Amino acid sequence: MAQQTASIRGTITTADGRPAESVTIGLKGRGQGAITNSQGQYAIERVRDGEYTVVVTAVGLKTEEKSVTISGGQSATLDFTLAENAEQLKEVIVNGARVNRFVRKQSVDVSKMPLSNLENPQVYATVGKELLTEQLVFSVDDATRNAPGVQQMWEPTGRSGDGGSFYASRGFVVSSQLRNGVAGGVTSTIDAANLEKLEVIKGPSATLYGSALSSYGGLLNRVTKKPYEQFGGEVALAAGSYGFHRASVDVNTPLNASKTLAFRLNGAYTYEDNFQNVGYTGFTKNVAVAPSLQFQPNDRLTINLDAEVYRGTNVGKQLIYIYFLDKVDNFGFSRADQAPLDYRQSYQGPGLTQDSRSTNLFGQVRYRISPSFTSTTFLTSSRSYSEGNGPYFYLVSDIALGFGTRPGVNNLLRADQSTQDSRRQTYQVQQLFNGDFKIGNLRNRVVLGLDFLRLDSNIEFFGGTIDVAPLRAPYFNYRTFNKAAVDATYAAAAPGRYPVTTKINTYSAFVSDVLNLTDKLSVLAAVRVDRYDNKGGILYSPVEAYQQTAVSPKFGVVFQPVKDRVALFANYQNSFNNQNSSYLNAEGQSFVTKPERANQIEGGVKLDAAQGRVSATVSYYDIRVQNVLRTLYTLTDPDGSTRTISAQDGTQWSRGTELSLTANPVPGLNLVGGFAYNFSKFVNTNEDVNGRRPNTASSPYLANLWASYRQPEGLLKGLGLGFGGNYASDNKILNSKSQGVFILPSYTVLNASAFYDQPKYRLAVKVDNLTNEHYWIGYTTINAQKLRSIVGSVAYKF
């Protein structure tokens, strides 16, 4: 009969009550051990019956020891409190050069269960607060530049419902709509004041997250800071180029003598002018307030109540489209750097502002039913609101305007799309039951989830063309496109209106199991059943009520030839998109559209080598989208009416490779880098784009690197320098037979920082876009990006 084994689990905290992350814990005289996660939790698995001494050790850390007896295969819980506080522990880790400060080895949200990166067959990247602090990063947008294979495509507009940033991942559009694994969208710039880490989860992930909050390319999950048992925090001020100024606060305090109730407040005020015609037309002003309350009456029950309140006023970033009735051949150029646009010019006037609000409320109740089972209940409410102008522009040829017959662009069409009392509400209730138990000698880590998600839109878009302005006209007054001119245009002729009033309920159930066949081999199997109930309404035009059911499976396998050091993995994942329409086939038969589906097969290797100083992931993926509806041709009946003949057999391919690396090669030196290649094309779809790369797929080649050195000891201890940047290859934002190809050129943007970090204060300065690179991003648009900027910061810690 096989001998029973058990686990030794627990939590390690510092002297000031904070979780002790990345601390090594092991069995004295034996090779078994573990490293604590971001919550200070550890688990030493497969421990046989006997008496053991559990030791917490690190270079420069006072050794802590406790004895424990394992009998009858019963697991044991053993907690530690270190003599050091959080700041001292941070210095110990740096001085000992034991681990990379930027690596996060475990996640609770990625698989909806506590799972280390090496055990997870899915690829994800984590950007922690340590890296963000060093880079003086103040927003989620800037945090994503550290995630391999992610490219920002569209800056936030603040519009209710869809006003947040859009990114590209694995050839598909991704937005940030999740917070701590559940709904928590923000439709303006997302401040990093309360960000503990950003998780970028790759590939179609509908099995655990559904299709409404994720995309075929993956999803972004914000993990927020939590209250802890001691008083502490920091206040910081920053200022720099283009009128930038910012004040932020992070304060934590226990609220009762037993320290079972704790409160934490994160907040920030940020203002910045547009780099184009600074101080005249463009600005962004945001206030973010994020209170958090945690009640832990005993070691089995934890209740968290959180809120995020965002208020902002902004002038939308200058979005320039290619006129949809035009052709690139009519321009006489095909690249943004050849366009007759003044990089520093704002082509609009004052007053075209938009007010934006996002209010998110969260409740979480976690209860440990037994040592093996835990219940977690989430309640979330997200509300967005916007009202005001949304200026945008069209690059249009002289031929399309009827001003000539020769190729050329000498004018810019100026337009507006406003919102009026626009609101969107998202409600989510999610119940998880997590289990960690054995059946025979096989360990099972299971999550069973029930989920309800409601999206309620009440959005009013309206607007139209305002005027045409000349380019290459140094004396032209571009400020004539302003609030007064737009209001006068709408008073003279009522603008077109485009309401969105849909209401959608989604009911889901899912289960996932990670089964350890041996201590080196594990398999994952999961499935989701999703009932989509669209109540109908208006999506620019009337939408009939309809329902669809989709099933989403997921499989994975991990083999660790070197336990806790090397993992070979493979996965199958999928996602889907509900379709609300019917179509006529070539025989004139009518069919209800099936859900569009994306299926991914992926494999690779993950490393955690050199005693935690090197962490890397290399993967190859292949995603096939099926059931894409495509137009075949249009028929005209004798009465003049038309019929569109379609087929739902189109396909889109996306395949590529990704590399991520974090390393601590020598004491004080830390590296974070990544590379991604993506090949995407439409297959068997509308003839206009068939065989071409989608114009929303972004750049096929992306790379990122950040290298930093922090002096670990001596008189200059805490002094550091950082340098790195991002590369993106040419991006085809227009790619069709009818219009042609238009390119945003490749770019390399370099950044640097310097800092002096001490237990009670931190001084820092950063320079973004060191070489003053002219570059553009775009989601079918030309969006000029900020030139060189310098920001300095001072923080007081208590």
Side-chain angles (χ1 to χ4, degrees), residues 5-9 43-47 70 73-77 436 438 443:
T5 62
S7 62
I8 301 174
R9 300 171 178 272
I44 304 173
E45 306 291 352
R46 302 183 66 81
V47 181
I70 299 296
Q74 295 296 313
S75 296
T77 299
D436 188 343
K438 288 186 177 181
R443 181 187 180 190

Side-chain angles (χ1 to χ4, degrees), residues 301-319:
L301 176 64
T302 303
I303 301 172
N304 287 92
L305 299 175
D306 303 271
E308 290 180 332
V309 179
Y310 284 84
R311 297 291 183 267
T313 301
N314 72 89
V315 175
K317 300 296 173 65
Q318 194 154 276
L319 306 178

